[in-house]
Amino acid sequence: MTESLNGKGLALVPKSDAKQTMKDYKSDQEVRWCPGCGDYAILAAVQSFMPELGLRRENVVFVSGIGCSSRFPYYLNTYGFHSIHGRAPAIATGLAASRPDLSVWVITGDGDALSIGGNHLIHALRRNVNLNILLFNNRIYGLTKGQYSPTSEVGKITKSTPMGSLDKPFNPISLAIGAEASFVARTIDSDRKHLQSVLREAAAHRGTSLVEIYQNCNIFNDNAFEPLKDPEVRDNITLRLEHGQPIVSAVKAVRRRPDGSLEVVDRDGVDESEIVVHDAHNPDPSVAFALSRLDEPWFAHVPVGVFRSVERPSYDHEMSVQVEAAKSERGAGTLSDLLMSGDTWRIG
Amino acid sequence: MTKQVQQLDRVIIRFAGDSGDGMQLTGDRFTAETASFGNDLSTLPNFPAEIRAPAGTLPGVSSFQLHFADHDILTPGDAPNVLVAMNPAALKANLGDLPRGADIIANTDEFTKRNLQKVGYTTNPLEDDTLAEWRVHPVPLTSLTVTALDNFDISKKDAERAKNMFALGLLSWLYHRPVDATVKFLESKFAKKPDIAKANVAAFNAGWNYGETTEAFSVSYEIKPAKLTPGVYRNIAGNQALAYGLIAASVQSKLPLFLGSYPITPASDILHELSKHKRFGIRTFQAEDEIAGVGAALGAAFGGALGVTTTSGPGVALKAETVGLAVMTELPLILVDVQRAGPSTGMPTKTEQTDLLMAMFGRNGESPVPIVAPSTPSDCFHAAIEAARIALKYRTPVMLLSDGYLANGSEPWRLPEIDELPDISVEFATEPNGEDGTTFLPYKRDPQTLARPWAVPGTPGIEHRIGGIEKADGSGNISYDPNNHDLMVRLRQAKVDGIDVPDLEVDDPDGEARVLVLGWGSTYGPIAAAVRRVRKAGGKVAQAHLRHLNPLPANTGDVLRAYDKVLLPEINLGQLALLLRARFLVDVISYNRVRGLPFKAEELAGVIQDVIDSD
């Protein structure tokens, strides 16, 4: 148990002998999201990605909270637990910490993860339990029919905010990096190839990975991410984060200012050597954090990809190490030793 | 000089001082000496929630009461025979409990003008006639300790701090306690600070020698060992017994124990204790909050562990939603509630029985949960195993209702024979259970217990999804069908109602009693002691004590109806009485005090006698 599991997120999960297909991961339940919901695309992407991992299907568990996205586990033919609003990271922590042989996925939304469950999310991230958290961010409460969420932009007109919302939204990436997350990424529902590439890296990461997935709610917040999907502009505003590559869009580049902060400038006229080269494995989170701050509410430019992927011990593994150390130092416990462990005396 | 030795059959000592004076440690050590000597005993620690309240004030007083005897006893005693008062606050706070003629050992060094003023004494009670009713032994504990430690290379402050060990030495001499274990204890406790260890041992010995050589104490006392049932004994407090019970449940069920918990008084000691026993394969998880504690425990239970969460009243309120999820998903889960005085933060270090109705009903929807309540500190061990048995056999969350009195109180415990502990192992589901041979029905129930299969991840062929949405009977798929919901509500209730619990036993030696005194949980000791007193005085009274509060034993109604009157003392405003009246239409007579303290035997004896006499 003492060897490093870094980079081996699934090292302890048994592999399947049989070749799997997407069909193996579809459950017999009818999918009941609204027609046109971005969740369909994410579900299909996950179902077609899972066979690639080659895990025994019975060792895969999807745990969710409450919200539209949290119905996800019902549609996957694995073990699944649809739990309580906000609590999925806590429940998944107990499961993953006691069962290192499982691949545990948490499905959550912006309200579930960042509002009612904010505490569990940040503590899961700092502990670094071996979990993959997929945060479907549609910037709205869908299941309760359209209230603003903790990622809605200021001034959002919704049923509960007819004169506009007042509170500043969270940036989930900044929040996760601030919570000591070891793996933080962003992708989008409509780009299956990119989504799956991020999932691949998240699954390989030993520890908690947080993947923010921009997801369209076509009923209550339609086209929230339209600029990122519009073929006319998307390549101009998407800053691709690829480890070892310069951070650029089709027309923009990221450059370091003299004071060390980052700025987005026109790609034309900037010297290649000035463009920041992405280092997802940098132990110092400040550059990843600075990248997360390049977001602008109206999508002038959006970094997408793996912001941060660093190796540090996972909680579940460390917990197992302590249990094994206690057993090897003092031997497995017996009840008679336990009961006799204090001052005892005999009568009769 | 040969000193007189007097025989006593029992003594009640209360050590009282500032919360920084080490009174709990002193009491613990005297208890350990007394236990190893073979007396029966019962203890009552009583301390403020503040770690260090302002020194010398009444709110800062911490005390430890110990009752020990040459026969079996049931309570920590009503009124101390001896009060050790380390300062004027300790004297003033405890004087009201002292019967006339009791001994007071007072640390005169602390009876300074300033300390007297702090608690409102205008003159020194040791020097006027305030204490004329009692036998006062003025001892300059602090200065004697400092003098005894003159040659030690420690600070004056450290020397003064050893005064509790001087007091312990003196009391150990006074009651002929064996001292070797205390010396060993001090050496081990201060192993990293040998100077402090030696100083404490020296202070302890100096206290002993002070009793032996000075004329301040002319009499010492012997209390012969008690004639208890043969066996191996140890002293144990309720929280420790409960932790051991959970470990035993893990061993006896062959399931790894997973504890998800958040620090809270007075339950934290269970977390501390279990975290020391990782070699049993135990995983202890200190969560970010109460909700995560129970959530992680439930997640572990889904994965096939014995999931446990430990808390106290306010924590139970926070966990309620997750307990509801455990009811809906029908997974085994143990929720330990070490009840304390409420509502809200209440009095965190004081005891109460006020969470019974919360345990019964404190969730949304129809969500029945079995309830088990231990009756004595050592019974916490067996009650924990029983809670686990029910949780595992019936796949249900179980509430285990301890309380502050049981948690911190201690008593000698005759160790059980390991091979007599129940086997509570369960079978996981291994294969599809549908009639077609390929389908798995996670809500197809065992016809006997109504329990559903426990199918843990990692088992091929029975992958399934569960959750908090209403389940279709059998398949467990989401269902909003009205009749299915009605059926499932009734099935969940029927499962809990059908749990096998032993009949309620009645203690009625000559069978002539017309009054039954009924209790539950930690009131067992005071009620049983009161019943003894009444019987000794010629009164006829029957006693019964409930361990299972939900479901109640099948014969409960018959037992209640068999007596003209049923008296039910509770440390709440009549919560069990409400349930019994509703269920059995029996006009239970409640006796309620909610002072944060256990009942006194004398008080209850009077109440019982009044009920017997009131025709």
Side-chain angles (χ1 to χ4, degrees):
Chain A
M1 294 302 295
T2 51
E3 83 276 22
S4 169
L5 292 170
N6 286 338
K8 294 186 279 189
L10 302 169
L12 301 178
V13 184
K15 297 284 184 292
S16 172
D17 300 330
K19 188 168 165 55
Q20 297 171 341
T21 67
M22 179 176 178
K23 204 169 152 239
D24 292 319
Y25 280 89
K26 285 185 175 174
S27 78
D28 60 356
Q29 298 296 295
E30 182 193 359
V31 184
R32 290 188 195 164
W33 287 308
C34 307
C37 177
D39 288 352
Y40 283 97
I42 304 173
L43 177 64
V46 170
Q47 284 170 334
S48 67
F49 164 72
M50 292 307 292
E52 182 188 313
L53 295 176
L55 304 174
R56 292 177 64 143
R57 194 159 43 84
E58 63 269 22
N59 287 70
V60 178
V61 185
F62 281 82
V63 182
S64 63
I66 293 292
C68 292
S69 60
S70 287
R71 298 296 180 97
F72 203 88
Y74 289 112
Y75 309 134
L76 284 148
N77 192 16
T78 65
Y79 282 86
F81 200 158
H82 178 209
S83 71
I84 322 175
H85 206 10
R87 316 303 170 206
I91 289 168
T93 292
L95 181 64
S98 56
R99 290 288 305 272
D101 62 324
L102 300 178
S103 171
V104 181
W105 298 73
V106 172
I107 305 296
T108 183
D110 39 313
D112 194 52
L114 299 172
S115 202
I116 194 166
N119 199 34
H120 306 307
L121 180 77
I122 58 174
H123 288 275
L125 293 171
R126 94 180 152 83
R127 278 193 196 101
N128 207 33
V129 186
N130 197 30
L131 299 173
N132 305 298
I133 302 177
L134 308 187
L135 195 171
F136 296 16
N137 181 6
N138 56 17
R139 300 186 171 179
I140 199 78
Y141 282 96
L143 197 63
T144 50
K145 299 185 196 252
Q147 300 81 15
Y148 79 109
S149 91
T151 53
S152 295
E153 58 279 12
V154 176
K156 186 86 171 172
I157 306 283
T158 71
K159 282 198 185 108
S160 60
T161 51
M163 296 174 70
S165 62
L166 301 174
D167 26 344
K168 183 172 169 64
F170 272 135
N171 176 326
I173 302 293
S174 302
L175 181 83
I177 293 170
E180 306 292 342
S182 59
F183 184 101
V184 185
R186 173 186 287 148
T187 184
I188 186 162
D189 57 2
S190 55
D191 186 347
R192 179 182 294 199
K193 192 169 160 233
H194 188 262
L195 200 164
Q196 291 186 334
S197 75
V198 169
L199 294 182
R200 193 172 295 120
E201 288 194 57
H205 179 72
R206 179 81 200 176
T208 306
S209 55
L210 179 96
V211 180
E212 180 191 22
I213 306 173
Y214 283 153
Q215 173 250 325
N216 191 45
C217 172
N218 57 319
I219 305 295
F220 295 110
N221 198 20
D222 198 13
N223 295 328
F225 307 103
E226 194 50 27
L228 292 168
K229 305 184 180 188
D230 180 354
E232 300 282 314
V233 297
R234 67 182 176 201
D235 292 340
N236 296 341
I237 62 171
T238 306
L239 295 163
R240 294 276 173 183
L241 300 177
E242 288 169 25
H243 180 73
Q245 298 298 316
I247 304 170
V248 295
S249 69
V251 295
K252 299 281 185 180
V254 175
R255 185 172 70 178
R256 189 169 275 113
R257 294 195 189 96
D259 69 359
S261 63
L262 301 182
E263 63 180 339
V264 179
V265 295
D266 286 338
R267 208 168 158 176
D268 284 345
V270 65
D271 192 297
E272 282 286 321
S273 65
E274 289 180 275
I275 301 176
V276 174
V277 173
H278 185 46
D279 179 6
H281 308 318
N282 188 345
D284 178 354
S286 55
V287 181
F289 186 82
L291 284 169
S292 78
R293 305 315 290 174
L294 295 178
D295 281 356
E296 287 181 7
W298 306 110
F299 304 112
H301 32 257
V302 183
V304 169
V306 178
F307 285 72
R308 177 166 172 77
S309 173
V310 296
E311 297 183 350
R312 68 180 171 91
S314 65
Y315 182 88
D316 50 297
H317 179 65
E318 300 288 293
M319 201 180 215
S320 297
V321 167
Q322 285 194 347
V323 168
E324 294 308 316
K327 283 180 183 172
S328 67
E329 281 165 24
R330 298 170 57 206
T334 69
L335 278 184
S336 53
D337 286 352
L338 177 74
L339 300 188
M340 299 287 287
S341 61
D343 294 335
T344 59
W345 67 96
R346 179 174 287 280
I347 290 179
Chain B
M1 182 182 77
T2 311
K3 293 201 172 185
Q4 190 190 340
V5 176
Q6 195 177 325
Q7 299 291 323
L8 296 175
D9 63 347
R10 65 188 190 101
V11 177
I12 301 163
I13 298 178
R14 186 181 292 177
F15 296 94
D18 224 24
S19 32
D21 280 344
M23 289 299 97
Q24 302 305 318
L25 175 72
T26 310
D28 277 343
R29 282 320 308 166
F30 195 89
T31 301
E33 293 174 2
T34 296
S36 70
F37 182 70
N39 293 124
D40 196 13
L41 66 87
S42 176
T43 67
L44 177 67
N46 191 0
F47 45 88
E50 295 78 14
I51 303 302
R52 295 280 188 276
T57 62
L58 289 171
V61 173
S62 167
S63 71
F64 187 102
Q65 184 166 313
L66 168 75
H67 181 190
F68 60 106
D70 67 359
H71 54 280
D72 78 309
I73 52 172
L74 296 156
T75 75
D78 290 356
N81 309 116
V82 183
L83 172 69
V84 178
M86 300 299 280
N87 65 10
L91 178 71
K92 188 157 197 183
N94 292 288
L95 204 53
D97 293 337
L98 283 192
R100 186 184 298 248
D103 289 284
I104 297 171
I105 298 172
N107 179 12
T108 54
D109 291 323
E110 291 293 321
F111 282 68
T112 60
K113 195 172 173 192
R114 191 175 132 78
N115 283 351
L116 291 166
Q117 274 172 353
K118 273 187 195 171
V119 294
Y121 280 125
T122 48
T123 57
N124 188 341
L126 302 178
E127 292 166 3
D128 59 22
D129 59 359
T130 308
L131 305 177
E133 285 181 35
W134 295 282
R135 286 194 296 186
V136 181
H137 308 269
V139 183
L141 286 168
T142 313
S143 51
L144 286 171
T145 307
V146 171
T147 308
L149 303 182
D150 215 14
N151 295 329
F152 285 79
D153 188 19
I154 58 169
S155 67
K156 181 157 185 268
K157 199 175 157 204
D158 280 336
E160 284 176 355
R161 284 178 59 147
K163 64 182 181 290
N164 63 330
M165 287 301 112
F166 188 97
L168 179 64
L170 174 58
L171 271 289
S172 299
W173 171 81
L174 197 55
Y175 293 99
H176 295 223
R177 303 290 95 183
V179 299
D180 292 356
T182 292
V183 172
K184 268 189 209 148
F185 168 84
L186 290 171
E187 284 166 355
S188 139
K189 180 176 168 69
F190 298 109
K192 286 180 183 157
K193 298 175 183 167
D195 288 343
I196 302 286
K198 281 180 200 150
N200 274 280
V201 171
F204 178 67
N205 289 333
W208 176 283
N209 294 335
Y210 178 80
E212 179 82 18
T213 53
T214 67
E215 292 181 7
F217 294 87
S218 56
V219 185
S220 65
Y221 303 94
E222 256 183 18
I223 298 90
K224 294 231 155 43
K227 290 184 189 65
L228 301 173
T229 310
V232 177
Y233 283 75
R234 65 176 289 170
N235 195 55
I236 196 142
N239 270 346
Q240 191 179 22
L242 204 151
Y244 284 10
L246 292 172
I247 298 173
S250 168
V251 172
Q252 297 301 101
S253 64
K254 303 178 187 71
L255 296 174
L257 176 61
F258 184 97
L259 174 73
S261 187
Y262 185 77
I264 186 168
T265 302
S268 299
D269 283 337
I270 304 171
L271 166 64
H272 304 163
E273 186 65 39
L274 288 174
S275 66
K276 288 192 277 193
H277 299 286
K278 292 189 168 64
R279 66 197 188 117
F280 284 87
I282 295 169
R283 284 171 157 78
T284 54
F285 172 66
Q286 183 177 316
E288 58 269 25
D289 58 27
E290 296 282 358
I291 299 171
V294 66
L298 186 63
F302 180 60
L306 178 62
V308 181
T309 188
T310 49
T311 190
S312 185
V316 179
L318 287 164
K319 293 177 197 293
E321 191 183 17
T322 309
V323 176
L325 180 65
V327 169
M328 195 60 141
T329 53
E330 303 192 37
L331 286 168
L333 178 74
I334 300 169
L335 193 164
V336 178
D337 175 9
V338 184
Q339 300 168 93
R340 71 187 211 191
S344 188
T345 305
M347 301 194 289
T349 57
K350 311 298 177 191
T351 196
E352 225 163 77
Q353 294 185 299
T354 41
D355 294 350
L356 176 60
L357 293 180
M358 174 164 69
M360 275 297 284
F361 302 120
R363 291 162 297 282
N364 60 311
E366 294 286 354
S367 52
V369 169
I371 303 169
V372 178
S375 56
T376 68
S378 67
D379 187 45
C380 291
F381 176 83
H382 299 284
I385 299 175
E386 174 64 358
R389 180 190 72 86
I390 292 172
L392 295 169
K393 181 171 176 183
Y394 295 91
R395 323 279 201 252
T396 175
V398 176
M399 289 269 190
L400 183 55
L401 286 185
S402 178
D403 62 29
Y405 170 53
L406 295 179
N408 293 318
S410 71
E411 64 179 357
W413 177 36
R414 187 167 63 86
L415 300 180
E417 296 295 332
I418 304 297
D419 53 12
E420 288 170 10
L421 296 177
D423 176 3
I424 56 171
S425 57
V426 290
E427 304 272 322
F428 293 136
T430 55
E431 55 189 21
N433 58 357
E435 284 180 8
D436 60 4
T438 58
T439 313
F440 179 61
L441 304 170
Y443 279 74
K444 182 177 174 183
R445 293 168 192 280
D446 178 293
Q448 291 284 303
T449 62
L450 298 182
R452 73 178 192 90
W454 191 3
V456 305
T459 317
I462 57 172
E463 295 85 355
H464 66 284
R465 276 65 58 192
I466 58 171
I469 301 183
E470 183 60 284
K471 305 281 172 290
D473 183 33
S475 76
N477 289 332
I478 292 175
S479 171
Y480 293 95
D481 177 69
N483 288 330
N484 176 74
H485 179 56
D486 186 76
L487 172 69
M488 294 299 276
V489 165
R490 291 172 195 281
L491 277 171
R492 287 186 286 263
Q493 185 67 48
K495 182 176 82 166
V496 171
D497 290 345
I499 290 170
D500 57 331
V501 303
D503 269 353
L504 180 60
E505 288 179 21
V506 179
D507 173 44
D508 183 7
D510 47 19
E512 293 170 8
R514 299 313 310 148
V515 172
L516 172 74
V517 55
L518 180 73
W520 68 276
S522 73
T523 53
Y524 173 77
I527 291 175
V531 164
R532 278 189 191 174
R533 287 182 189 220
V534 169
R535 287 177 184 162
K536 211 169 173 182
K540 307 278 186 202
V541 61
Q543 189 198 351
H545 206 76
L546 283 165
R547 173 195 198 70
H548 293 92
L549 283 310
N550 194 34
L552 290 163
N555 67 336
T556 305
D558 293 341
V559 168
L560 298 183
R561 291 187 201 98
Y563 293 87
D564 296 342
K565 291 173 194 162
V566 177
L567 171 67
L568 176 50
E570 293 182 83
I571 307 177
N572 57 41
L573 294 183
Q575 298 195 3
L576 179 60
L578 182 77
L579 296 177
L580 296 180
R581 283 163 170 262
R583 174 90 182 274
F584 302 109
L585 298 175
V586 168
D587 191 15
V588 171
I589 302 166
S590 273
Y591 178 74
N592 310 109
R593 285 287 180 279
V594 199
R595 304 169 59 235
L597 292 167
F599 287 120
K600 292 183 173 178
E602 185 182 1
E603 163 194 16
L604 287 183
V607 173
I608 295 169
Q609 195 59 54
D610 286 350
V611 171
I612 293 174
D613 293 344
S614 66
D615 267 320

